[in-house]
Amino acid sequence: MSETTTEKPTDFIRAIIAEDLASGKNGNRVATRFPPEPNGYLHIGHAKAFGLNFSIAQEGPNRTCNLRFDDTNPIKEEDEYVDAIMEDIRWMGYEWDNLFFASDYFPQLYDWAVQLIKAGKAYVDDLSADEIREYRGTLTEPGKNSPYRDRSVEENLDLFARMKKGEFPDGSRVLRAKIDMTSPIINLRDPVMYRILHATHHRTGDEWCIYPMYDWAHGQSDSIEGITHSLCSLEFVNHRPLYNWFLEELEIYHPYQYEFARLNITHTLMSKRKLRQLVEDGVVSGWDDPRMPTLRGMRRRGYTPEAIRTFIDNVGVARANSTVEFAMLEHAVRDDLNTVTPRVMAVLDPLKVVIENYPVGQTEWVEVPDYPQHADDTRTRKVPFSRELYIERDDFAEVPPRRYRRMTPGVEVRLFSAYYVTTTAVVKDAEGNVVEIHATYDPESRGGQTPDGRKVRGTIHWVSAEHAVDAEVRLYDVLFSAEFPEDVTEGQDFTVNLNPTSLETVTAKVEPSLADVAPGSRFQFMRNAYFVADSTDHSAEHPVFNRTVTLRDSWAKIASN
RNA sequence: UGCCGGAUAGUUUAAUGGUAGAACAGUGGACUCUGAAUCCAUUAGUCUUGGUUCGAAUCCAGGUCCGGCAGCCA
C-alpha cells in the first residue's frame, strides 16, 4: 500500500485525517469502522461507505478498520444477513481487522446507563410512545417535560433494574437521557436510550429484554473500539450533538463523527425498503437479480469488484448531496472488462448466409485470437467454419444506409479471422422479409487477409450454423427508465418508473466453446456487449448468459443522423 | 416557521486569498481484422447582491434555491 502521509489528500475526510495525524491528535493512529445493521443485503451505496473506511485503513501504518454489526434491534436482524454482508465485503476485496457486534457491548452499555442515572442525567419515563411524541413538540415549537422527568435517582435505578429483569411489558417504559426538552435540535429533547423488547436476539438470545437505541449504542461502541474517525452519512449530522453529549457526560474516550454524502446513481434506487418491495412483489427475481444495485445483483450481472472500486474512486467523497450518472458506472465496468475479457463470437439475431462456392459438408477450424485487444497476447482458439453461417441481421442491408460498412450486395467484407465474402443474392419470403443471403468467398483470404493486400471496409462476426450452440441470452437494461425513480407525482408510486424492457431474453447462436464455460466467466461477445455466464442457471446443456454492459455504439449515432 | 447541512461545466469532483483543473457525458477528427479499444482536438462552470482585499470559488454580511431532522428504526 502506498504511504499517503506525503501525498495530497483526495477528499475532505482524508484531509482531516492528515491534519489530525500532523497535530498528533490520536498519537500516530487511525481507526475506522463499518457498522452495517444486519437487516438486509449490501448495495453499491454501502460499498462507497465501507470502501472509504477500509481504504483509509490501508493507506498508512497504524491504521485499522473494524467490521461492527450494529445489531441493537432484535426484531429486524438475522444471522443470514451477517453472513451475506461479510461475503459481499470480501468479494469487494476488503478484510476487517476485527469483527465486532454492538451486542457484545450490551453489559458495558447497561453499566454506563446506570452511571448516567446516578449522575441525574437519565430517567425512566412511563409515558406511552404516543405521549412521548406529543411531549416532544414540533420542528417549530419546543417540547415539554415528562411528568416522570424528576423522579429520584433511587426510583430510576430501581425501575431501570426492573426493566432489565423483565418486570414490565414492551412499550410500557423507556430510559431517556435528561437533556433539554426545549432544544431546537430535536435529537436533544430527552432522547430514548432504552426500550423494552421481549424479543429473541440473533446473538444474545433471551438474555436481554431492554435494547439500546442507535444513538446510545453507536458512539459508545466507537469509544470502546478506540475509533478515531467515525464516518457516516449526512442524515446523521443532526445526531452529532447527541453523539458528543453522551461521550462527554460519560467522560470516556472521545471518537469524532464526520459525515459525507451517500451515493446516488441515476435510474437506480438505494432505499432498502423499496428494493425489498421489488423483491417481495416479484418485480425482480430476488436480491441477486442482475438488475438490482445490490452487490449480489451486480456480481451476478457480471460487474467486477475492481470496476466498482474504480467507479467509487471516481465519484469521490464530499458533503453535497449528489446523483452520479449511470454512464459513469458503465464506463468503469467497460474499462475493466475491456482489458480482462476474452472475445468470443455470438449472434443474437441470426440471419443465415450460404457461401455458394464453399464445399458442401466441409468444416475447417480457423484460428481466432482470444484477446485481440492486447497485441502481445497470442492466445488463440479454433472455431469451426462451414458453408452455412449465421450473421447478425443488422449486419446485412439490401439498401445500405449512408456510411454502412457491413454486408450489402456486391460489397466485400471480412468475416472476423476467417474469409472475405461478397453478397451475391438475397432470399426473401412471401412478405418480402430477408430470410437468407447468398455470398461467395475468396479462398485466398483465409485468416482474414489476402496476398494482394486489398482492404475491406467492414469486419463482422459469425458462427457456423451447423456447429452453433443455442444459448439463452438475458439482455439487461436499467431497472428504471426515469433518471430519478423516486420523483413521482402525488399519489403515484415509484414503480411507475420501472423500465418495461429492463430484461429481454433471446435465444442466440453462439460458438461451441461457450457451452463448456464455467458459471461466472466473463466475455465480450464481439461487437455487441460484455456477458457473464449466469452463476446459477448456466450449464453445458443449457447455456445462459447475462449482458453486463453494452459496448459503446457510435454507429447508432451515425445512423440516427 | 425552529435547528442543521449544502450550492464550481450536462453529471461527479479539484482548486483552502494568487493562471478555475480533471473524470464521465457531448462534439469533430485520426486509426482500426470489434463502427470496440486507443489517440488527438474541442464545447461547457464558480447561485445572487453587497463588503473586505492589490487580488475572492475561497473570508464577511444579506438574499435565493436544494437537502436533512418531530421512531420506543438505523
Side-chain angles (χ1 to χ4, degrees), chain A residues 37-70:
Chain A
E37 183 186 16
N39 72 338
Y41 295 96
L42 260 23
H43 55 59
I44 189 171
H46 296 111
K48 175 182 181 177
F50 70 72
L52 215 213
N53 280 291
F54 286 113
S55 302
I56 284 172
Q58 293 174 340
E59 289 166 6
N62 302 313
R63 299 190 182 203
T64 56
C65 180
N66 295 341
L67 172 59
R68 179 172 77 233
F69 286 98
D70 221 330

PDB file of all heavy atoms in Angstrom, chain A residues 37-70:
ATOM      1  N   GLU A  37     -26.174  -2.560   9.766  1.00  0.00           N
ATOM      2  CA  GLU A  37     -27.183  -3.288  10.534  1.00  0.00           C
ATOM      3  C   GLU A  37     -27.490  -4.565   9.749  1.00  0.00           C
ATOM      4  O   GLU A  37     -27.740  -4.499   8.542  1.00  0.00           O
ATOM      5  CB  GLU A  37     -28.466  -2.447  10.656  1.00  0.00           C
ATOM      6  CG  GLU A  37     -29.505  -3.154  11.505  1.00  0.00           C
ATOM      7  CD  GLU A  37     -30.860  -2.449  11.545  1.00  0.00           C
ATOM      8  OE1 GLU A  37     -31.118  -1.584  10.697  1.00  0.00           O
ATOM      9  OE2 GLU A  37     -31.663  -2.796  12.437  1.00  0.00           O
ATOM     10  N   PRO A  38     -27.443  -5.725  10.379  1.00  0.00           N
ATOM     11  CA  PRO A  38     -27.674  -6.970   9.637  1.00  0.00           C
ATOM     12  C   PRO A  38     -29.158  -7.221   9.377  1.00  0.00           C
ATOM     13  O   PRO A  38     -29.726  -8.188   9.862  1.00  0.00           O
ATOM     14  CB  PRO A  38     -27.057  -8.045  10.537  1.00  0.00           C
ATOM     15  CG  PRO A  38     -27.146  -7.483  11.915  1.00  0.00           C
ATOM     16  CD  PRO A  38     -27.048  -5.985  11.775  1.00  0.00           C
ATOM     17  N   ASN A  39     -29.756  -6.328   8.620  1.00  0.00           N
ATOM     18  CA  ASN A  39     -31.189  -6.482   8.341  1.00  0.00           C
ATOM     19  C   ASN A  39     -31.465  -6.439   6.841  1.00  0.00           C
ATOM     20  O   ASN A  39     -32.589  -6.185   6.424  1.00  0.00           O
ATOM     21  CB  ASN A  39     -31.998  -5.393   9.060  1.00  0.00           C
ATOM     22  CG  ASN A  39     -31.813  -4.030   8.420  1.00  0.00           C
ATOM     23  OD1 ASN A  39     -30.833  -3.795   7.729  1.00  0.00           O
ATOM     24  ND2 ASN A  39     -32.747  -3.136   8.649  1.00  0.00           N
ATOM     25  N   GLY A  40     -30.442  -6.632   6.014  1.00  0.00           N
ATOM     26  CA  GLY A  40     -30.659  -6.625   4.574  1.00  0.00           C
ATOM     27  C   GLY A  40     -29.344  -6.814   3.866  1.00  0.00           C
ATOM     28  O   GLY A  40     -28.296  -6.932   4.511  1.00  0.00           O
ATOM     29  N   TYR A  41     -29.426  -6.866   2.541  1.00  0.00           N
ATOM     30  CA  TYR A  41     -28.217  -7.082   1.753  1.00  0.00           C
ATOM     31  C   TYR A  41     -27.556  -5.751   1.407  1.00  0.00           C
ATOM     32  O   TYR A  41     -28.229  -4.718   1.291  1.00  0.00           O
ATOM     33  CB  TYR A  41     -28.561  -7.858   0.484  1.00  0.00           C
ATOM     34  CG  TYR A  41     -29.055  -9.248   0.776  1.00  0.00           C
ATOM     35  CD1 TYR A  41     -30.422  -9.527   0.850  1.00  0.00           C
ATOM     36  CD2 TYR A  41     -28.158 -10.276   1.022  1.00  0.00           C
ATOM     37  CE1 TYR A  41     -30.877 -10.800   1.142  1.00  0.00           C
ATOM     38  CE2 TYR A  41     -28.598 -11.556   1.325  1.00  0.00           C
ATOM     39  CZ  TYR A  41     -29.957 -11.812   1.387  1.00  0.00           C
ATOM     40  OH  TYR A  41     -30.400 -13.073   1.685  1.00  0.00           O
ATOM     41  N   LEU A  42     -26.265  -5.802   1.243  1.00  0.00           N
ATOM     42  CA  LEU A  42     -25.489  -4.606   0.912  1.00  0.00           C
ATOM     43  C   LEU A  42     -25.694  -4.204  -0.551  1.00  0.00           C
ATOM     44  O   LEU A  42     -25.760  -5.051  -1.441  1.00  0.00           O
ATOM     45  CB  LEU A  42     -24.012  -4.917   1.144  1.00  0.00           C
ATOM     46  CG  LEU A  42     -23.299  -4.458   2.411  1.00  0.00           C
ATOM     47  CD1 LEU A  42     -24.214  -4.208   3.584  1.00  0.00           C
ATOM     48  CD2 LEU A  42     -22.156  -5.376   2.754  1.00  0.00           C
ATOM     49  N   HIS A  43     -25.768  -2.886  -0.788  1.00  0.00           N
ATOM     50  CA  HIS A  43     -25.834  -2.413  -2.177  1.00  0.00           C
ATOM     51  C   HIS A  43     -24.642  -1.515  -2.461  1.00  0.00           C
ATOM     52  O   HIS A  43     -23.790  -1.295  -1.588  1.00  0.00           O
ATOM     53  CB  HIS A  43     -27.172  -1.719  -2.453  1.00  0.00           C
ATOM     54  CG  HIS A  43     -27.514  -0.591  -1.521  1.00  0.00           C
ATOM     55  ND1 HIS A  43     -26.712   0.519  -1.363  1.00  0.00           N
ATOM     56  CD2 HIS A  43     -28.577  -0.417  -0.688  1.00  0.00           C
ATOM     57  CE1 HIS A  43     -27.280   1.337  -0.484  1.00  0.00           C
ATOM     58  NE2 HIS A  43     -28.399   0.789  -0.045  1.00  0.00           N
ATOM     59  N   ILE A  44     -24.582  -1.001  -3.674  1.00  0.00           N
ATOM     60  CA  ILE A  44     -23.389  -0.259  -4.084  1.00  0.00           C
ATOM     61  C   ILE A  44     -23.203   1.017  -3.262  1.00  0.00           C
ATOM     62  O   ILE A  44     -22.086   1.507  -3.111  1.00  0.00           O
ATOM     63  CB  ILE A  44     -23.423   0.036  -5.602  1.00  0.00           C
ATOM     64  CG1 ILE A  44     -22.068   0.611  -6.055  1.00  0.00           C
ATOM     65  CG2 ILE A  44     -24.601   0.912  -5.983  1.00  0.00           C
ATOM     66  CD1 ILE A  44     -21.922   0.746  -7.543  1.00  0.00           C
ATOM     67  N   GLY A  45     -24.307   1.522  -2.684  1.00  0.00           N
ATOM     68  CA  GLY A  45     -24.182   2.674  -1.802  1.00  0.00           C
ATOM     69  C   GLY A  45     -23.390   2.318  -0.546  1.00  0.00           C
ATOM     70  O   GLY A  45     -22.557   3.091  -0.081  1.00  0.00           O
ATOM     71  N   HIS A  46     -23.634   1.114  -0.034  1.00  0.00           N
ATOM     72  CA  HIS A  46     -22.841   0.649   1.117  1.00  0.00           C
ATOM     73  C   HIS A  46     -21.383   0.470   0.714  1.00  0.00           C
ATOM     74  O   HIS A  46     -20.481   0.700   1.519  1.00  0.00           O
ATOM     75  CB  HIS A  46     -23.366  -0.691   1.638  1.00  0.00           C
ATOM     76  CG  HIS A  46     -24.758  -0.632   2.192  1.00  0.00           C
ATOM     77  ND1 HIS A  46     -25.824  -1.231   1.567  1.00  0.00           N
ATOM     78  CD2 HIS A  46     -25.252  -0.033   3.301  1.00  0.00           C
ATOM     79  CE1 HIS A  46     -26.918  -1.017   2.279  1.00  0.00           C
ATOM     80  NE2 HIS A  46     -26.606  -0.291   3.325  1.00  0.00           N
ATOM     81  N   ALA A  47     -21.183   0.049  -0.537  1.00  0.00           N
ATOM     82  CA  ALA A  47     -19.805  -0.178  -0.989  1.00  0.00           C
ATOM     83  C   ALA A  47     -19.003   1.113  -0.922  1.00  0.00           C
ATOM     84  O   ALA A  47     -17.817   1.112  -0.624  1.00  0.00           O
ATOM     85  CB  ALA A  47     -19.800  -0.757  -2.401  1.00  0.00           C
ATOM     86  N   LYS A  48     -19.661   2.231  -1.207  1.00  0.00           N
ATOM     87  CA  LYS A  48     -18.969   3.509  -1.077  1.00  0.00           C
ATOM     88  C   LYS A  48     -18.541   3.720   0.377  1.00  0.00           C
ATOM     89  O   LYS A  48     -17.410   4.111   0.654  1.00  0.00           O
ATOM     90  CB  LYS A  48     -19.871   4.664  -1.507  1.00  0.00           C
ATOM     91  CG  LYS A  48     -19.251   6.031  -1.277  1.00  0.00           C
ATOM     92  CD  LYS A  48     -20.169   7.177  -1.660  1.00  0.00           C
ATOM     93  CE  LYS A  48     -19.483   8.523  -1.418  1.00  0.00           C
ATOM     94  NZ  LYS A  48     -20.319   9.658  -1.834  1.00  0.00           N
ATOM     95  N   ALA A  49     -19.452   3.432   1.294  1.00  0.00           N
ATOM     96  CA  ALA A  49     -19.172   3.657   2.713  1.00  0.00           C
ATOM     97  C   ALA A  49     -18.084   2.715   3.224  1.00  0.00           C
ATOM     98  O   ALA A  49     -17.117   3.158   3.853  1.00  0.00           O
ATOM     99  CB  ALA A  49     -20.448   3.478   3.531  1.00  0.00           C
ATOM    100  N   PHE A  50     -18.214   1.425   2.941  1.00  0.00           N
ATOM    101  CA  PHE A  50     -17.182   0.547   3.503  1.00  0.00           C
ATOM    102  C   PHE A  50     -15.880   0.666   2.727  1.00  0.00           C
ATOM    103  O   PHE A  50     -14.799   0.518   3.306  1.00  0.00           O
ATOM    104  CB  PHE A  50     -17.675  -0.896   3.706  1.00  0.00           C
ATOM    105  CG  PHE A  50     -17.943  -1.743   2.506  1.00  0.00           C
ATOM    106  CD1 PHE A  50     -16.907  -2.248   1.727  1.00  0.00           C
ATOM    107  CD2 PHE A  50     -19.246  -2.122   2.187  1.00  0.00           C
ATOM    108  CE1 PHE A  50     -17.167  -3.079   0.650  1.00  0.00           C
ATOM    109  CE2 PHE A  50     -19.518  -2.953   1.109  1.00  0.00           C
ATOM    110  CZ  PHE A  50     -18.473  -3.441   0.334  1.00  0.00           C
ATOM    111  N   GLY A  51     -15.977   0.990   1.436  1.00  0.00           N
ATOM    112  CA  GLY A  51     -14.761   1.208   0.656  1.00  0.00           C
ATOM    113  C   GLY A  51     -13.948   2.353   1.242  1.00  0.00           C
ATOM    114  O   GLY A  51     -12.735   2.279   1.359  1.00  0.00           O
ATOM    115  N   LEU A  52     -14.638   3.400   1.636  1.00  0.00           N
ATOM    116  CA  LEU A  52     -13.976   4.564   2.237  1.00  0.00           C
ATOM    117  C   LEU A  52     -13.282   4.153   3.525  1.00  0.00           C
ATOM    118  O   LEU A  52     -12.092   4.414   3.722  1.00  0.00           O
ATOM    119  CB  LEU A  52     -15.043   5.618   2.570  1.00  0.00           C
ATOM    120  CG  LEU A  52     -14.804   7.113   2.456  1.00  0.00           C
ATOM    121  CD1 LEU A  52     -15.584   7.858   3.514  1.00  0.00           C
ATOM    122  CD2 LEU A  52     -13.354   7.526   2.391  1.00  0.00           C
ATOM    123  N   ASN A  53     -14.019   3.495   4.398  1.00  0.00           N
ATOM    124  CA  ASN A  53     -13.473   3.106   5.695  1.00  0.00           C
ATOM    125  C   ASN A  53     -12.297   2.135   5.573  1.00  0.00           C
ATOM    126  O   ASN A  53     -11.258   2.325   6.198  1.00  0.00           O
ATOM    127  CB  ASN A  53     -14.562   2.487   6.571  1.00  0.00           C
ATOM    128  CG  ASN A  53     -15.444   3.550   7.221  1.00  0.00           C
ATOM    129  OD1 ASN A  53     -14.991   4.278   8.091  1.00  0.00           O
ATOM    130  ND2 ASN A  53     -16.683   3.660   6.776  1.00  0.00           N
ATOM    131  N   PHE A  54     -12.479   1.095   4.750  1.00  0.00           N
ATOM    132  CA  PHE A  54     -11.405   0.106   4.610  1.00  0.00           C
ATOM    133  C   PHE A  54     -10.206   0.684   3.859  1.00  0.00           C
ATOM    134  O   PHE A  54      -9.058   0.398   4.197  1.00  0.00           O
ATOM    135  CB  PHE A  54     -11.916  -1.161   3.909  1.00  0.00           C
ATOM    136  CG  PHE A  54     -12.778  -2.025   4.792  1.00  0.00           C
ATOM    137  CD1 PHE A  54     -14.134  -2.193   4.534  1.00  0.00           C
ATOM    138  CD2 PHE A  54     -12.235  -2.678   5.899  1.00  0.00           C
ATOM    139  CE1 PHE A  54     -14.931  -2.983   5.355  1.00  0.00           C
ATOM    140  CE2 PHE A  54     -13.026  -3.480   6.723  1.00  0.00           C
ATOM    141  CZ  PHE A  54     -14.378  -3.628   6.454  1.00  0.00           C
ATOM    142  N   SER A  55     -10.454   1.501   2.860  1.00  0.00           N
ATOM    143  CA  SER A  55      -9.341   2.081   2.097  1.00  0.00           C
ATOM    144  C   SER A  55      -8.492   2.979   2.969  1.00  0.00           C
ATOM    145  O   SER A  55      -7.265   2.949   2.905  1.00  0.00           O
ATOM    146  CB  SER A  55      -9.843   2.900   0.913  1.00  0.00           C
ATOM    147  OG  SER A  55     -10.620   2.111   0.076  1.00  0.00           O
ATOM    148  N   ILE A  56      -9.153   3.803   3.754  1.00  0.00           N
ATOM    149  CA  ILE A  56      -8.408   4.710   4.630  1.00  0.00           C
ATOM    150  C   ILE A  56      -7.470   3.902   5.523  1.00  0.00           C
ATOM    151  O   ILE A  56      -6.319   4.281   5.750  1.00  0.00           O
ATOM    152  CB  ILE A  56      -9.382   5.567   5.461  1.00  0.00           C
ATOM    153  CG1 ILE A  56      -9.966   6.661   4.562  1.00  0.00           C
ATOM    154  CG2 ILE A  56      -8.692   6.175   6.687  1.00  0.00           C
ATOM    155  CD1 ILE A  56     -11.088   7.457   5.197  1.00  0.00           C
ATOM    156  N   ALA A  57      -7.960   2.755   5.980  1.00  0.00           N
ATOM    157  CA  ALA A  57      -7.142   1.926   6.868  1.00  0.00           C
ATOM    158  C   ALA A  57      -5.958   1.294   6.143  1.00  0.00           C
ATOM    159  O   ALA A  57      -5.007   0.843   6.777  1.00  0.00           O
ATOM    160  CB  ALA A  57      -8.006   0.844   7.499  1.00  0.00           C
ATOM    161  N   GLN A  58      -6.017   1.255   4.820  1.00  0.00           N
ATOM    162  CA  GLN A  58      -4.909   0.660   4.062  1.00  0.00           C
ATOM    163  C   GLN A  58      -3.864   1.690   3.679  1.00  0.00           C
ATOM    164  O   GLN A  58      -2.833   1.354   3.114  1.00  0.00           O
ATOM    165  CB  GLN A  58      -5.441   0.022   2.763  1.00  0.00           C
ATOM    166  CG  GLN A  58      -6.325  -1.189   3.006  1.00  0.00           C
ATOM    167  CD  GLN A  58      -6.956  -1.704   1.725  1.00  0.00           C
ATOM    168  OE1 GLN A  58      -7.052  -0.981   0.727  1.00  0.00           O
ATOM    169  NE2 GLN A  58      -7.372  -2.955   1.728  1.00  0.00           N
ATOM    170  N   GLU A  59      -4.150   2.947   3.960  1.00  0.00           N
ATOM    171  CA  GLU A  59      -3.308   3.997   3.419  1.00  0.00           C
ATOM    172  C   GLU A  59      -2.186   4.474   4.335  1.00  0.00           C
ATOM    173  O   GLU A  59      -1.628   5.550   4.123  1.00  0.00           O
ATOM    174  CB  GLU A  59      -4.187   5.185   2.971  1.00  0.00           C
ATOM    175  CG  GLU A  59      -4.996   4.838   1.733  1.00  0.00           C
ATOM    176  CD  GLU A  59      -6.122   5.816   1.447  1.00  0.00           C
ATOM    177  OE1 GLU A  59      -6.232   6.846   2.150  1.00  0.00           O
ATOM    178  OE2 GLU A  59      -6.898   5.543   0.505  1.00  0.00           O
ATOM    179  N   GLY A  60      -1.856   3.699   5.322  1.00  0.00           N
ATOM    180  CA  GLY A  60      -0.744   4.090   6.168  1.00  0.00           C
ATOM    181  C   GLY A  60      -0.539   3.104   7.310  1.00  0.00           C
ATOM    182  O   GLY A  60      -1.365   2.210   7.524  1.00  0.00           O
ATOM    183  N   PRO A  61       0.530   3.280   8.049  1.00  0.00           N
ATOM    184  CA  PRO A  61       0.804   2.404   9.187  1.00  0.00           C
ATOM    185  C   PRO A  61      -0.092   2.749  10.368  1.00  0.00           C
ATOM    186  O   PRO A  61      -0.629   3.859  10.436  1.00  0.00           O
ATOM    187  CB  PRO A  61       2.272   2.702   9.519  1.00  0.00           C
ATOM    188  CG  PRO A  61       2.483   4.106   9.041  1.00  0.00           C
ATOM    189  CD  PRO A  61       1.586   4.304   7.853  1.00  0.00           C
ATOM    190  N   ASN A  62      -0.248   1.826  11.280  1.00  0.00           N
ATOM    191  CA  ASN A  62      -1.050   2.031  12.497  1.00  0.00           C
ATOM    192  C   ASN A  62      -2.504   2.382  12.183  1.00  0.00           C
ATOM    193  O   ASN A  62      -3.096   3.213  12.855  1.00  0.00           O
ATOM    194  CB  ASN A  62      -0.448   3.144  13.365  1.00  0.00           C
ATOM    195  CG  ASN A  62       0.988   2.838  13.753  1.00  0.00           C
ATOM    196  OD1 ASN A  62       1.291   1.730  14.181  1.00  0.00           O
ATOM    197  ND2 ASN A  62       1.866   3.807  13.559  1.00  0.00           N
ATOM    198  N   ARG A  63      -3.018   1.759  11.148  1.00  0.00           N
ATOM    199  CA  ARG A  63      -4.406   2.039  10.801  1.00  0.00           C
ATOM    200  C   ARG A  63      -5.204   0.744  10.816  1.00  0.00           C
ATOM    201  O   ARG A  63      -4.716  -0.294  10.375  1.00  0.00           O
ATOM    202  CB  ARG A  63      -4.500   2.660   9.410  1.00  0.00           C
ATOM    203  CG  ARG A  63      -3.747   3.992   9.305  1.00  0.00           C
ATOM    204  CD  ARG A  63      -4.086   4.660   8.017  1.00  0.00           C
ATOM    205  NE  ARG A  63      -3.345   5.903   7.865  1.00  0.00           N
ATOM    206  CZ  ARG A  63      -3.749   6.904   7.080  1.00  0.00           C
ATOM    207  NH1 ARG A  63      -4.857   6.803   6.388  1.00  0.00           N
ATOM    208  NH2 ARG A  63      -3.031   7.994   6.977  1.00  0.00           N
ATOM    209  N   THR A  64      -6.415   0.833  11.304  1.00  0.00           N
ATOM    210  CA  THR A  64      -7.277  -0.343  11.345  1.00  0.00           C
ATOM    211  C   THR A  64      -8.690   0.027  10.922  1.00  0.00           C
ATOM    212  O   THR A  64      -9.097   1.182  11.011  1.00  0.00           O
ATOM    213  CB  THR A  64      -7.375  -0.926  12.773  1.00  0.00           C
ATOM    214  OG1 THR A  64      -7.826   0.111  13.650  1.00  0.00           O
ATOM    215  CG2 THR A  64      -6.038  -1.458  13.254  1.00  0.00           C
ATOM    216  N   CYS A  65      -9.409  -0.988  10.456  1.00  0.00           N
ATOM    217  CA  CYS A  65     -10.831  -0.813  10.179  1.00  0.00           C
ATOM    218  C   CYS A  65     -11.575  -2.041  10.675  1.00  0.00           C
ATOM    219  O   CYS A  65     -11.269  -3.158  10.273  1.00  0.00           O
ATOM    220  CB  CYS A  65     -11.074  -0.615   8.679  1.00  0.00           C
ATOM    221  SG  CYS A  65     -12.826  -0.398   8.294  1.00  0.00           S
ATOM    222  N   ASN A  66     -12.513  -1.822  11.560  1.00  0.00           N
ATOM    223  CA  ASN A  66     -13.310  -2.923  12.100  1.00  0.00           C
ATOM    224  C   ASN A  66     -14.601  -3.092  11.320  1.00  0.00           C
ATOM    225  O   ASN A  66     -15.130  -2.129  10.767  1.00  0.00           O
ATOM    226  CB  ASN A  66     -13.684  -2.648  13.555  1.00  0.00           C
ATOM    227  CG  ASN A  66     -12.465  -2.622  14.466  1.00  0.00           C
ATOM    228  OD1 ASN A  66     -11.400  -3.139  14.122  1.00  0.00           O
ATOM    229  ND2 ASN A  66     -12.629  -2.007  15.636  1.00  0.00           N
ATOM    230  N   LEU A  67     -15.093  -4.319  11.328  1.00  0.00           N
ATOM    231  CA  LEU A  67     -16.458  -4.557  10.878  1.00  0.00           C
ATOM    232  C   LEU A  67     -17.275  -4.731  12.148  1.00  0.00           C
ATOM    233  O   LEU A  67     -16.970  -5.591  12.981  1.00  0.00           O
ATOM    234  CB  LEU A  67     -16.533  -5.825  10.018  1.00  0.00           C
ATOM    235  CG  LEU A  67     -17.949  -6.291   9.653  1.00  0.00           C
ATOM    236  CD1 LEU A  67     -18.707  -5.211   8.885  1.00  0.00           C
ATOM    237  CD2 LEU A  67     -17.887  -7.585   8.840  1.00  0.00           C
ATOM    238  N   ARG A  68     -18.236  -3.861  12.334  1.00  0.00           N
ATOM    239  CA  ARG A  68     -19.079  -3.963  13.535  1.00  0.00           C
ATOM    240  C   ARG A  68     -20.541  -4.018  13.129  1.00  0.00           C
ATOM    241  O   ARG A  68     -21.059  -3.079  12.521  1.00  0.00           O
ATOM    242  CB  ARG A  68     -18.857  -2.785  14.466  1.00  0.00           C
ATOM    243  CG  ARG A  68     -19.764  -2.884  15.702  1.00  0.00           C
ATOM    244  CD  ARG A  68     -19.434  -1.826  16.732  1.00  0.00           C
ATOM    245  NE  ARG A  68     -19.942  -0.544  16.346  1.00  0.00           N
ATOM    246  CZ  ARG A  68     -19.219   0.564  16.276  1.00  0.00           C
ATOM    247  NH1 ARG A  68     -17.936   0.550  16.549  1.00  0.00           N
ATOM    248  NH2 ARG A  68     -19.770   1.694  15.925  1.00  0.00           N
ATOM    249  N   PHE A  69     -21.182  -5.108  13.457  1.00  0.00           N
ATOM    250  CA  PHE A  69     -22.603  -5.205  13.164  1.00  0.00           C
ATOM    251  C   PHE A  69     -23.384  -4.428  14.212  1.00  0.00           C
ATOM    252  O   PHE A  69     -23.200  -4.637  15.412  1.00  0.00           O
ATOM    253  CB  PHE A  69     -23.042  -6.669  13.098  1.00  0.00           C
ATOM    254  CG  PHE A  69     -22.562  -7.323  11.842  1.00  0.00           C
ATOM    255  CD1 PHE A  69     -21.415  -8.103  11.825  1.00  0.00           C
ATOM    256  CD2 PHE A  69     -23.243  -7.118  10.653  1.00  0.00           C
ATOM    257  CE1 PHE A  69     -20.961  -8.672  10.651  1.00  0.00           C
ATOM    258  CE2 PHE A  69     -22.797  -7.697   9.476  1.00  0.00           C
ATOM    259  CZ  PHE A  69     -21.657  -8.468   9.471  1.00  0.00           C
ATOM    260  N   ASP A  70     -24.196  -3.521  13.728  1.00  0.00           N
ATOM    261  CA  ASP A  70     -24.981  -2.675  14.607  1.00  0.00           C
ATOM    262  C   ASP A  70     -26.300  -3.392  14.897  1.00  0.00           C
ATOM    263  O   ASP A  70     -27.337  -3.073  14.325  1.00  0.00           O
ATOM    264  CB  ASP A  70     -25.231  -1.341  13.888  1.00  0.00           C
ATOM    265  CG  ASP A  70     -25.080  -0.173  14.832  1.00  0.00           C
ATOM    266  OD1 ASP A  70     -25.360  -0.354  16.027  1.00  0.00           O
ATOM    267  OD2 ASP A  70     -24.697   0.908  14.361  1.00  0.00           O
TER     268      ASP A  70
END
